[in-house]
Amino acid sequence: MSEELEDAAARYALILSADPANREALHRLALVRLRQGRPQEAEPLLLKALELDPGWAEAYNSLGAAERALRRHEAAITSYRQALAARPDYAEAHNNLGNAYFELARYEDAMGEYERALAIRPAYADALANRATTLKTLGRLDEARQGFEQAISLAPTAARLYFELADCTRFTPDDPHLAAMQDLMQDEASLLDESRMLLHFALAKALADFGEHARAFAHLGTANRLKRQETAYDEAAVLGELKRIRAVFTPALMQALRDAGDASPVPIFIVGMPRSGSTLVEQILASHPAVAAAGEINDFPTLVAGLGGAAQFPEAVSTPTAARLHRLGSDYLARVSAKAPPAARITDKLLANFRHVGLIHLALPRARIIHTRRDPLDTCLSCYSKLFTDDQPFAYDLGELGRYYRAYAALMDHWHRLLPAEALLDVRYEAVVDDIEGEARRIIAHCGLPWDERCLDFHRTARPVRTASANQVRQPIYRTSVERSRAYADLLQPLRDALGPLA
């Protein structure tokens, strides 16, 4: 497929060399670049096409796609609206505008656009699926499941739909959707790599649901190999950075700049590995009336990236001044407080902030940090079982996954040695499962809040959840994820070898 796309790009480029004002060739070349994952090359082509034809709805729609791929969602909204101004009955633009709203967590606006797309085209499978994804995010799981099933009835060969359905249903051996996925796999060689990957992840989930662990793991292996092939990951650079952080943040540095930051107690940072129980902890906190959950936000890393100019973290902050630390803390506080102005506490669940724990404590010395932990094998297997929507490039190879976990654990041990006990609390997933009330009380007390019984009814708390655990936190506490890795025994040997003594 990559060769076919490049051949098509060459044909359109040849047309444009002879006729630079050929708007159709500009648009088609831009579409090829979008399919190749090169939106930065598609955007100028589309802008040129729109100079030639300012009322071209399809080009505005494609420009919105390029802007979304570049994570410029507000700009994408403007482009999709321009497409709809030119063509109000443009179902695809309504659907895509809904996707842009979804990315900005404007879920009601997103639902409205999906409904408009479906009013124009009732059998629009993609809009049905996107609507179902939004319903799942909002905790309306039965409606979401029905939406995915309806979309599958319209597009029975669309791999993405089975993948989405698998995340919100529990399969049995006689499930007709399982049979449909297996039928699609009969001609696997004809599928695009992305479709193959999605089907393998979905089949792994389905088979694991009723205990076919060896077969499930075989599908996981193929799914992760396909994902790893398309994932850029410099393991040496990543592990090297985690090691350098320990060298930069020394006891002397922490002591010299103690209490230099902003003294606000509002932020609560939840850090750790994916699939470690962090969404459950945030849901417990979000059930407290004094707490607002901001979810996985990039505000702190964004501010850190601006501290050192061209220099990289951690060296960029190796010699921070008290003034810079206070400004970092106050700038972060302004950003996070704007998300929930009345809240006494606001959670930030960007797990990768485990890299920044020392800097967080210097910039916000009264902020509370919660480190969620889970058995290393269970954590890593759960990561390996998921196709993440965000950037987790270490998760698709068992060896890389184990080595990353080991480096993360070493850095967290370092933070525990440096930070005062009242700043950083470890919460073990297994302990929460065994004693939900005791652990919930620990969490709430750590954050300086009075106990509230609503924290035990966390599964009833209505709020959008976009993480891989969105379905699980809608349920009361359960034990089935504890010691999950035991069912896979020797299949995890490469992971055990990489984890070393932690396994």
Side-chain angles (χ1 to χ4, degrees):
M1 177 56 70
S2 60
E3 291 181 3
E4 293 175 12
L5 289 174
E6 203 50 60
D7 287 344
R11 289 197 302 274
Y12 296 131
L14 185 61
I15 293 170
L16 289 168
S17 67
D19 181 9
N22 188 316
R23 68 162 205 162
E24 194 65 37
L26 286 165
H27 188 217
R28 291 186 177 276
L29 179 55
L31 293 177
V32 171
R33 294 307 187 209
L34 285 173
R35 290 190 65 186
Q36 291 176 313
R38 293 155 66 176
Q40 69 280 2
E41 297 176 38
E43 184 179 25
L45 296 167
L46 293 163
L47 290 172
K48 186 173 182 180
L50 285 165
E51 286 179 8
L52 297 167
D53 186 352
W56 191 3
E58 287 77 6
Y60 276 119
N61 186 55
S62 299
L63 178 60
E67 290 161 337
R68 273 192 66 222
L70 294 166
R71 302 194 176 194
R72 301 204 323 260
H73 301 299
E74 294 285 1
I77 287 171
T78 299
S79 294
Y80 291 135
R81 284 176 175 165
Q82 288 174 303
L84 289 165
R87 186 175 148 196
D89 65 345
Y90 195 175
E92 289 86 350
H94 280 295
N95 179 55
N96 291 333
L97 177 55
N99 292 337
Y101 282 136
F102 181 89
E103 293 298 334
L104 293 172
R106 294 171 59 177
Y107 301 115
E108 294 306 321
D109 289 333
M111 289 288 287
E113 293 303 323
Y114 299 140
E115 296 290 357
R116 291 181 185 94
L118 290 165
I120 296 165
R121 192 195 304 173
Y124 191 178
D126 197 39
L128 280 166
N130 291 331
R131 181 178 179 275
T133 297
T134 308
L135 288 167
K136 183 179 75 170
T137 299
L138 296 172
R140 295 159 62 180
L141 301 183
D142 288 339
E143 294 174 79
R145 185 161 44 249
Q146 292 166 12
F148 289 128
E149 290 173 346
Q150 187 179 357
I152 287 171
S153 72
L154 295 168
T157 62
R160 175 214 165 188
L161 300 179
Y162 294 99
F163 173 79
E164 297 286 0
L165 176 66
D167 193 46
C168 59
T169 195
R170 188 166 185 84
F171 288 89
T172 58
D174 59 351
D175 192 307
H177 294 112
L178 171 59
M181 287 190 286
Q182 291 171 327
D183 287 344
L184 285 174
M185 274 296 183
Q186 293 299 312
D187 192 19
E188 182 178 358
S190 69
L191 299 173
L192 297 175
D193 281 352
E194 182 179 12
S195 294
R196 291 174 61 213
M197 176 185 66
L198 292 172
L199 277 175
H200 279 294
F201 271 117
L203 281 165
K205 163 62 167 59
L207 292 165
D209 278 349
F210 53 87
E212 290 278 358
H213 298 297
R215 291 174 61 200
F217 197 79
H219 283 290
L220 276 183
T222 303
N224 279 283
R225 281 193 296 275
L226 290 167
K227 178 62 178 176
R228 183 65 184 88
Q229 288 170 12
E230 66 174 39
T231 301
Y233 176 51
D234 187 340
E235 183 182 27
V238 169
L239 300 189
E241 182 200 72
L242 296 180
K243 186 176 181 179
R244 296 197 322 272
I245 292 170
R246 289 186 289 163
V248 166
F249 285 88
T250 62
L253 176 68
M254 302 299 289
Q255 180 62 29
L257 294 164
R258 185 180 61 180
D259 298 326
D262 190 296
S264 170
V266 168
I268 302 169
F269 291 86
I270 303 171
V271 303
M273 282 286 289
R275 313 298 296 159
S276 61
S278 59
T279 303
L280 174 57
V281 168
E282 186 177 50
Q283 188 77 350
I284 290 169
L285 282 162
S287 302
H288 194 289
V291 180
E296 298 182 350
I297 56 176
N298 281 292
D299 295 75
F300 199 83
T302 298
L303 291 169
V304 171
L307 284 178
Q312 292 183 320
F313 181 82
E315 288 77 12
V317 295
S318 59
T319 56
T321 64
R324 289 176 72 203
L325 285 171
H326 194 278
R327 185 169 64 253
L328 172 60
S330 59
D331 287 350
Y332 172 82
L333 185 64
R335 285 181 174 232
V336 76
S337 295
K339 302 178 193 303
R345 302 286 188 276
I346 304 173
T347 63
D348 177 339
K349 200 185 76 69
L350 188 70
L351 296 177
N353 272 329
F354 80 84
R355 299 160 57 245
H356 299 126
V357 163
L359 187 58
I360 288 169
H361 182 63
L362 291 176
L364 293 154
R366 293 184 62 200
R368 289 297 171 254
I369 305 168
I370 297 173
H371 171 216
T372 57
R373 301 180 62 185
R374 183 181 174 193
D375 173 83
L377 283 171
D378 286 350
T379 302
C380 293
L381 173 62
S382 192
C383 288
Y384 193 67
S385 301
K386 288 290 181 182
L387 176 62
F388 291 97
T389 56
D390 53 358
D391 189 23
Q392 310 289 357
F394 55 82
Y396 305 109
D397 175 89
L398 288 175
E400 291 173 342
L401 184 52
R403 290 187 289 274
Y404 183 88
Y405 187 100
R406 199 168 63 198
Y408 134 81
L411 182 54
M412 287 310 306
D413 288 344
H414 181 71
W415 296 137
H416 272 293
R417 289 191 293 270
L418 288 187
L419 268 62
E422 67 271 15
L424 175 59
L425 177 73
D426 272 6
V427 176
R428 292 190 61 84
Y429 173 74
E430 295 83 359
V432 177
V433 171
D434 287 340
D435 180 13
I436 176 63
E437 180 170 350
E439 290 300 301
R441 286 181 177 275
R442 274 183 77 226
I443 291 165
I444 298 303
H446 174 69
C447 298
L449 295 169
W451 172 246
D452 192 288
E453 291 290 333
R454 281 169 282 192
C455 295
L456 298 181
D457 286 328
F458 62 86
H459 56 288
R460 302 184 191 280
T461 298
R463 71 178 183 95
V465 179
R466 289 176 62 167
T467 72
S469 300
N471 296 338
Q472 290 93 322
V473 297
R474 312 295 187 187
Q475 308 169 44
I477 207 77
Y478 58 90
R479 294 193 55 82
T480 52
S481 293
V482 176
E483 297 187 337
R484 178 187 177 193
S485 59
R486 293 185 66 178
Y488 294 85
D490 293 340
L491 296 171
L492 295 176
Q493 194 57 49
L495 175 59
R496 294 178 190 277
D497 292 342
L499 285 169
L502 296 175

